[in-house]
Amino acid sequence: MNKDNSSNKKNKYKSIIQETIARNSSKRKMKNNLITILLCSFVIIAIIPLSSILIEVFKNGVGALSFDFLFQPPGSIGSQGGGIGPAIQGTLLVVGFATLIGAPVGILAGVFLSEYSSSSRIFAYFLRLFNDVLTGIPSIVIGIAGYITIVLTLGSFSILAGAFVLSIIMIPIVARVSEETLKLVPNTLREAAYGLGLPKWKVVWHIVIKGSKSGILTGIVLAISRIAGETAPLIMTILGTSLFFGGFNSPVDALPLRIWRLASQPYPSAHEQGWGAALLLILLVLSLSIALRMIAQKRSITFKTTT
Amino acid sequence: MVNLKSYRILGVSLLALSLLVPVYVNSANAQQVTINGAGATFPFPLIDTWRVEYQKVNPDASINYASIGSGGGIKQFTEKTVDFGATDAPLSPTEFEKAGNPVHIPETIGSVVLAYNLPEVTTPLKLTGPVIADIFLGKVTTWNDPRIQELNPDVTLPAEDIISAHRSDGSGTTFVFTDYLSKVSQEWNDAIGVGKSVQWPSGLGAPGNEGVAASIQGSPYSIGYVELAYALTTGMKYASIQNQDGNFIAPSINSTMAAVSAAAPTLPEGSQPWNNVTITDAPGPDSYPISSFSYLLLYKELSTNPSMNEQKANALVEFVEWAVTDGQQFAEPLGYVPLPQSVIDINEQTLRSLTFSGNPILTN
Amino acid sequence: MSFKDSKITHSELVKKLDLRNKKSFFGDNFFKALVIGASLYTLLMVALVLFALSEGSIPIFLEEGINFITGTNWNAVEGRESFGALPYIIGTLVSSAIAMVIAVPISVGIAIFITEMIPKKLGTVLSFVVELLAAVPSIIYGLWALFVFRFWIRDYIEEPLHNSFGDYISIFARAPFGLDVFTAGIVLAIMIIPIITAVSREVIKAIPHSQKEAAYALGATRWEMVKTAILPSSKTGLMGASFLGLGRAIGETMLVTLIIGNAIGMAAIPTSLFSQSQTLSSIIANEFNEASNDLHLSALIGLGLVLFIITVFINIMAIFIISKVSKSYSNLRE
């Protein structure tokens, strides 16, 4: 009798539990679906501005593009003519010089962190910390430092000052990516090189660095796409101008700076040129980003197949 | 993979080099001289026109002007990072001394207008100095305030908040505007004062005359102060302001000229301080009350600036001489007042006194 | 080299090896010097920024003392000079706070969605698209915000809020026209979403599979798994990610100068969501090129110093939090 009662109770409880689970599971499933939809809408919220920006820049800027626009200096204020030739040239030159300074320094710093950090752990720790701190310093603050150290000392706005501040922004990005890429080179390769009797510097240079070329290039391209869009530090170092490059101690122009100046004007022709310049800048930066992605993906495949 | 990258690097460097080509072609010509100036946005449309027109007169000289505000012009000129400065605010005694006693050369005369964006109102508004001061002090807050309404009895004013627009950068236009307000409103003088950058109690800030004009255009029910040329070229409406004699005067070439001659200032020599020169709130029945000179700043002894050489000094002074004489023909179409002969004479005298390494530059 | 065949003696061999060591000794040390030099250069840059800022701020701190941080004046009129950073500190905090309130939930949500709730391939594509948001230069954000987005915000968000609640709730009281601290906060949020998302994704990915599988084994739905297995242990990491985003928002300049309204001094302290304001970085960008008054220039550099200290502090906190988190994960990992 007792056994019957207990098994009946068990069955009762079992059915109650099953019922509850069945009821709750549809509630839980609904909650799960609702939240999935909510999070999906978050993604859409994030993507809408991006597509709006791309559409607006393309829509408003494509009308400004022409041969004159790309190669001529600006015309009289408010007039239809002229272009942003000096700005394009300026961006290429300033970014180019900044890369000449920033890329080697960044790569070598990354090499230190990856290959030589064992010789002084404390130094490496502080280097890594300050490197990360440097990434986070607002670019306008770096611009102030550049103004005080270069513009005031040399006595003029110049491409050197601009390249200097952009290189400071570039170094930590290149260093961080280089360090991580170099660390990925398997130790077996290093040991093999040592075993063959190569001195350390040859090991680092020929084996490690040359073996991480695409990764390091990724870092450099990432940094370039970042500094090509920087405006604030350029305001106080290159000043901006309507002329083409005139020497190492004259002001130069740059795309982001020109966009800022054009956007602040009330003339529709200036606005149109501003959108056109923005289109060029965004094309430059986006194509670099996409190229970056493709290199990065190719690289991960390459490494998988070796070790 | 490697090949692709090297091609890309090659392509970019070729592109960069190709853009340097026009530069090197230019600088191959040893006569080419670039003159850098910076400063006021007030005269920028005129100076920019001069930049284009002077190229036709003297193809060897290129003028480069960065329109960064009078404060910026004075600063860069004092730091000797540019060859000439431009400002609507004459140098204060402190600035004058710090800059090494430069010469002031008035290159044009303009007027500051109160431009506004009222979609429904088509007739030009009338305003008085005290009312304008109270708008910018934040004491008059709506367009249909009785004090504005009583000046414009035939106009239906909307019951909207007034958005006032001012300069966010150091501006000679601000200097002229606050100079006027300090004269017509004791409260303004006590609370805010005169300056290129003042502590605005409210309102929207934008960089440059261009920025303020753009802000007014983009914000309905806003009002701001801009140089006349900017109002004319963008088609904005501007107010008529009551002058000392009690007449409501619209800004124009004639009313500004009336202000210049009625104020009949005894102008100092170019090398003296100009901080007491002001033609705002000028007397006379037809004078527009907010008018001002705009000045070019040059060193009396041009070699004070280390990056100056004889060729550049000659080019600079010749350009300025052209600007204050032949260049004046371009002023009126842009809404600037051509310099009266008396001022041109003073400028000529100043220019003749300029030297490079002790030698006078203009010899004819 | 075969030792047996060539009649080389042991000492000659040693000499030969010594020679080679000498050459490589030179190359090794030269290269090491290069590498250390580059590292020192990097450290020097940080020191340089700090030094330039400090030296430039000395005049204003001598003049105003602690009042520079707590004062609300910003008067450059000659004879009445007085400068205080407080309004801009408040403006920076308010605009960044608005940005964080919007960005953090959205970014964490996106990160969870991308890593846990959809197939991996789709996740990679979506994360790439979100990263593109980070690639857009901030001046273009500013351009777009000034000419397009601000009108959208004014018409569809600000005006309805003002019309419905303006009379009761003071933060909606001002008449909006799109250039204010609210718009700045929203656009800043859009800018920092990719950063917080990227780091959050790494944090979430690092949760050991065993935790997730345990939750699924107990019959959890996707969301319940996230709620119980991922969120509790990744809270610190997500906080670190948010701090990184906060650092970026605080330092953003160009975008802010175009849409925040550029108020000065006391007027820059936002009394409503639709007030004009000013941040530390935007006023530096606006006034730096023309502060001819020495004290004015020093005040701007002083603002730069304040900004520097705030961002370095936040970044170091973020770095420590994230490194602590990755250490605790390596403990959890089987």
Side-chain angles (χ1 to χ4, degrees):
Chain A
M1 253 301 239
N2 274 346
K3 253 195 180 167
D4 262 337
N5 268 346
S6 66
S7 63
N8 274 342
K9 267 194 191 157
K10 257 197 197 156
N11 283 337
K12 231 187 178 177
Y13 285 141
K14 214 176 173 183
S15 57
I16 292 176
I17 290 174
Q18 275 174 340
E19 251 188 74
T20 325
I21 290 180
R23 243 207 319 262
N24 278 347
S25 82
S26 58
K27 210 164 69 172
R28 286 162 55 210
K29 268 206 188 124
M30 201 172 62
K31 200 173 173 193
N32 185 52
N33 289 338
L34 276 176
I35 298 214
T36 311
I37 294 176
L38 176 72
L39 295 186
C40 184
S41 62
F42 279 174
V43 175
I44 296 177
I45 290 179
I47 296 186
I48 288 181
L50 177 66
S51 33
S52 174
I53 293 177
L54 291 178
I55 293 175
E56 288 291 333
V57 170
F58 188 78
K59 187 176 77 175
N60 297 325
V62 80
L65 293 183
S66 69
F67 185 80
D68 267 357
F69 182 71
L70 292 178
F71 290 105
Q72 289 299 320
S76 219
I77 187 177
S79 72
Q80 306 285 82
I84 57 168
I88 301 178
Q89 183 197 40
T91 291
L92 288 173
L93 287 175
V94 167
V95 170
F97 283 121
T99 312
L100 277 179
I101 306 174
V105 175
I107 297 175
L108 288 174
V111 166
F112 177 84
L113 286 173
S114 159
E115 307 294 319
Y116 289 85
S117 59
S118 48
S119 61
S120 170
R121 289 231 178 258
I122 302 179
F123 186 59
Y125 175 73
F126 277 108
L127 181 62
R128 212 172 269 125
L129 180 67
F130 281 113
N131 200 45
D132 284 339
V133 164
L134 197 55
T135 333
I137 297 182
S139 56
I140 187 149
V141 166
I142 300 183
I144 297 180
Y147 177 78
I148 295 177
T149 44
I150 310 253
V151 177
L152 285 185
T153 324
L154 289 185
S156 69
F157 294 100
S158 65
I159 196 175
L160 284 177
F164 179 66
V165 294
L166 289 186
S167 71
I168 298 181
I169 301 176
M170 190 176 200
I171 287 173
I173 303 176
V174 175
R176 166 87 88 51
V177 177
S178 304
E179 181 198 349
E180 285 176 19
T181 331
L182 292 169
K183 273 191 179 156
L184 283 177
V185 173
N187 260 338
T188 50
L189 285 176
R190 289 191 188 84
E191 287 162 10
Y194 282 127
L196 285 173
L198 286 179
K200 178 158 190 176
W201 71 274
K202 274 195 182 166
V203 175
V204 172
W205 179 249
H206 290 292
I207 308 293
V208 181
I209 294 183
K210 291 225 174 126
S212 341
K213 261 199 290 216
S214 37
I216 295 181
L217 192 68
T218 308
I220 298 181
V221 172
L222 184 69
I224 288 182
S225 69
R226 164 79 191 275
I227 62 176
E230 284 289 343
T231 322
L234 294 180
I235 299 176
M236 48 199 54
T237 46
I238 64 173
L239 191 64
T241 167
S242 310
L243 301 175
F244 285 102
F245 178 68
F248 280 99
N249 50 0
S250 293
V252 283
D253 206 5
L255 271 178
L257 205 52
R258 175 74 16 191
I259 296 175
W260 189 50
R261 296 255 154 83
L262 288 169
S264 314
Q265 287 184 21
Y267 308 108
S269 57
H271 291 173
E272 202 190 348
Q273 289 199 341
W275 285 113
L279 179 61
L280 282 176
L281 185 60
I282 234 184
L283 281 176
L284 172 68
V285 168
L286 282 187
S287 53
L288 283 176
S289 296
I290 295 177
L292 208 89
R293 256 297 166 136
M294 298 202 305
I295 301 176
Q297 278 187 352
K298 275 227 161 112
R299 167 176 55 114
S300 45
I301 297 177
T302 325
F303 265 98
K304 273 191 192 140
T305 54
T306 43
T307 322
Chain B
M1 199 59 224
V2 178
N3 279 338
L4 215 72
K5 269 172 250 157
S6 353
Y7 278 137
R8 196 153 21 109
I9 297 173
L10 192 65
V12 170
S13 13
L14 275 178
L15 187 64
L17 281 173
S18 65
L19 280 170
L20 281 175
V21 164
V23 167
Y24 285 126
V25 165
N26 268 343
S27 44
N29 178 2
Q31 305 284 48
Q32 260 297 331
V33 157
T34 306
I35 301 169
N36 290 310
T41 58
F42 189 92
F44 178 51
L46 182 58
I47 297 185
D48 206 49
T49 310
W50 282 341
R51 172 179 71 83
V52 173
E53 296 296 328
Y54 191 63
Q55 190 84 60
K56 303 175 190 166
V57 168
N58 181 0
D60 293 330
S62 302
I63 315 295
N64 178 35
Y65 183 75
S67 158
I68 57 177
S70 300
I74 296 178
K75 178 173 181 199
Q76 300 316 325
F77 177 73
T78 311
E79 304 281 351
K80 304 184 180 58
T81 54
V82 291
D83 303 318
F84 70 91
T87 167
D88 327 311
L91 298 185
S92 70
T94 333
E95 287 168 340
F96 188 67
E97 202 188 316
K98 205 172 158 213
N101 303 1
V103 300
H104 287 71
I105 298 178
E107 91 270 16
T108 189
I109 305 170
S111 40
V112 178
V113 311
L114 273 299
Y116 54 86
N117 183 342
L118 281 178
E120 311 97 340
V121 175
T122 45
T123 46
L125 281 186
K126 294 197 178 94
L127 294 171
T128 64
V131 169
I132 299 174
D134 284 343
I135 291 178
F136 281 87
L137 279 171
K139 291 172 64 185
V140 168
T141 50
T142 52
W143 281 104
N144 60 350
D145 188 288
R147 295 179 60 190
I148 305 181
Q149 191 69 72
E150 72 183 350
L151 295 170
N152 300 277
D154 308 323
V155 182
T156 344
L157 293 166
E160 298 280 350
D161 285 347
I162 305 180
I163 303 163
S164 61
H166 55 79
R167 294 284 292 272
S168 59
D169 51 336
S171 152
T173 318
T174 302
F175 179 85
V176 174
F177 184 56
T178 51
D179 181 50
Y180 169 70
L181 289 181
S182 295
K183 284 182 184 169
V184 298
S185 162
Q186 187 60 43
E187 194 181 341
W188 182 273
N189 193 19
D190 295 335
I192 312 283
V194 186
K196 293 189 288 290
S197 278
V198 300
Q199 194 160 281
W200 299 96
S202 67
L204 177 63
N209 263 305
E210 310 96 330
V212 175
S215 299
I216 301 172
Q217 270 185 328
S219 312
Y221 310 116
S222 59
I223 184 171
Y225 59 93
V226 291
E227 206 283 325
L228 178 60
Y230 290 88
L232 288 177
T233 43
T234 55
M236 285 194 291
K237 295 175 274 216
Y238 42 86
S240 301
I241 307 183
Q242 194 177 47
N243 66 10
Q244 234 186 60
D245 282 18
N247 301 328
F248 286 95
I249 305 290
S252 70
I253 308 278
N254 292 329
S255 56
T256 309
M257 239 186 217
V260 175
S261 41
T266 37
L267 294 174
E269 279 178 18
S271 54
Q272 290 174 328
W274 282 62
N275 55 308
N276 291 321
V277 176
T278 164
I279 53 177
T280 53
D281 203 26
D286 302 314
S287 307
Y288 180 71
I290 324 182
S291 311
S292 163
F293 284 110
S294 190
Y295 310 95
L296 293 178
L297 298 171
L298 271 75
Y299 284 109
K300 189 150 183 227
E301 168 48 66
L302 270 91
S303 61
T304 317
N305 186 338
S307 68
M308 191 65 79
N309 54 40
E310 192 172 347
Q311 194 190 20
K312 241 186 175 181
N314 285 334
L316 174 59
V317 177
E318 277 167 18
F319 165 66
V320 175
E321 203 199 4
W322 174 86
V324 300
T325 50
D326 289 335
Q328 294 298 305
Q329 64 182 284
F330 300 105
E332 258 195 75
L334 287 171
Y336 294 95
V337 176
L339 295 174
Q341 190 60 42
S342 53
V343 179
I344 299 182
D345 291 337
I346 296 181
N347 284 341
E348 287 275 8
Q349 206 181 19
T350 312
L351 287 169
R352 254 156 239 297
S353 74
L354 298 180
T355 56
F356 183 78
S357 302
N359 302 320
I361 299 179
L362 294 175
T363 43
N364 46 350
Chain C
M1 207 184 340
S2 85
F3 306 121
K4 286 195 194 144
D5 296 330
S6 68
K7 293 223 169 118
I8 200 163
T9 63
H10 178 71
S11 46
E12 281 174 353
L13 188 65
V14 166
K15 256 198 223 156
K16 270 214 166 124
L17 286 172
D18 265 344
L19 256 176
R20 202 181 61 193
N21 279 344
K22 273 206 200 114
K23 255 203 280 184
S24 68
F25 181 73
F26 185 71
D28 259 347
N29 270 24
F30 179 67
F31 193 73
K32 196 172 184 183
L34 258 176
V35 165
I36 292 187
S39 315
L40 284 175
Y41 183 85
T42 313
L43 290 177
L44 181 67
M45 289 300 109
V46 182
L48 183 77
V49 172
L50 184 59
F51 176 70
L53 289 175
S54 311
E55 190 204 30
S57 326
I58 292 178
I60 189 68
F61 277 109
L62 282 179
E63 172 81 15
E64 297 267 356
I66 198 67
N67 264 335
F68 181 63
I69 310 285
T70 55
T72 56
N73 284 331
W74 194 261
N75 207 337
V77 175
E78 227 174 271
R80 310 188 197 191
E81 289 103 343
S82 171
F83 299 101
L86 189 64
Y88 312 127
I89 298 178
I90 297 180
T92 308
L93 290 177
V94 170
S95 57
S96 309
I98 296 176
M100 292 293 279
V101 161
I102 300 175
V104 170
I106 294 185
S107 308
V108 172
I110 295 179
I112 295 174
F113 187 74
I114 290 182
T115 48
E116 296 303 328
M117 298 196 141
I118 53 173
K120 230 178 178 185
K121 279 226 172 95
L122 188 58
T124 329
V125 170
L126 275 182
S127 66
F128 172 59
V129 173
V130 174
E131 266 168 40
L132 278 186
L133 264 183
V136 175
S138 71
I139 183 73
I140 297 188
Y141 268 109
L143 197 67
W144 168 76
L146 181 63
F147 290 124
V148 179
F149 197 49
R150 123 197 198 217
F151 295 116
W152 198 88
I153 293 186
R154 182 191 65 187
D155 294 335
Y156 297 118
I157 304 184
E158 292 188 345
E159 299 238 315
L161 281 176
H162 174 68
N163 292 334
S164 336
F165 301 116
D167 297 323
Y168 321 116
I169 310 182
S170 66
I171 55 169
F172 298 128
R174 278 263 196 120
F177 58 96
L179 295 178
D180 45 47
V181 69
F182 186 57
T183 311
I186 295 182
V187 190
L188 277 176
I190 300 176
M191 270 201 83
I192 64 176
I193 283 176
I195 301 169
I196 305 181
T197 308
V199 183
S200 301
R201 271 184 56 227
E202 296 300 315
V203 169
I204 292 175
K205 267 201 229 169
I207 304 272
H209 282 282
S210 53
Q211 305 274 63
K212 297 195 266 197
E213 285 161 13
Y216 280 135
L218 286 173
T221 59
R222 273 242 154 77
W223 166 242
E224 285 168 352
M225 182 277 288
V226 169
K227 202 166 66 165
T228 54
I230 294 190
L231 283 184
S233 34
S234 57
K235 251 190 245 180
T236 352
L238 295 177
M239 207 165 66
S242 312
F243 271 117
L244 276 182
L246 177 64
R248 182 79 162 88
I250 289 184
E252 180 48 47
T253 314
M254 298 318 299
L255 161 64
V256 176
T257 63
L258 288 174
I259 60 174
I260 201 166
N262 295 323
I264 305 276
M266 268 295 289
I269 300 180
T271 50
S272 102
L273 270 186
F274 308 140
S275 298
Q276 281 72 60
S277 183
Q278 187 91 257
T279 60
L280 290 167
S281 44
S282 64
I283 191 160
I284 297 176
N286 280 328
E287 300 196 343
F288 197 81
N289 268 345
E290 42 79 0
S292 48
N293 180 339
D294 270 345
L295 198 60
H296 190 184
L297 183 66
S298 177
L300 289 170
I301 299 181
L303 291 181
L305 184 62
V306 173
L307 185 59
F308 178 79
I309 293 176
I310 295 179
T311 38
V312 167
F313 179 65
I314 291 183
N315 273 309
I316 291 188
M317 274 215 307
I319 293 170
F320 276 137
I321 292 177
I322 294 184
S323 66
K324 218 171 54 165
V325 161
S326 46
K327 276 200 198 118
S328 68
Y329 281 161
S330 46
N331 291 341
L332 274 176
R333 229 160 268 167
E334 352 43 53

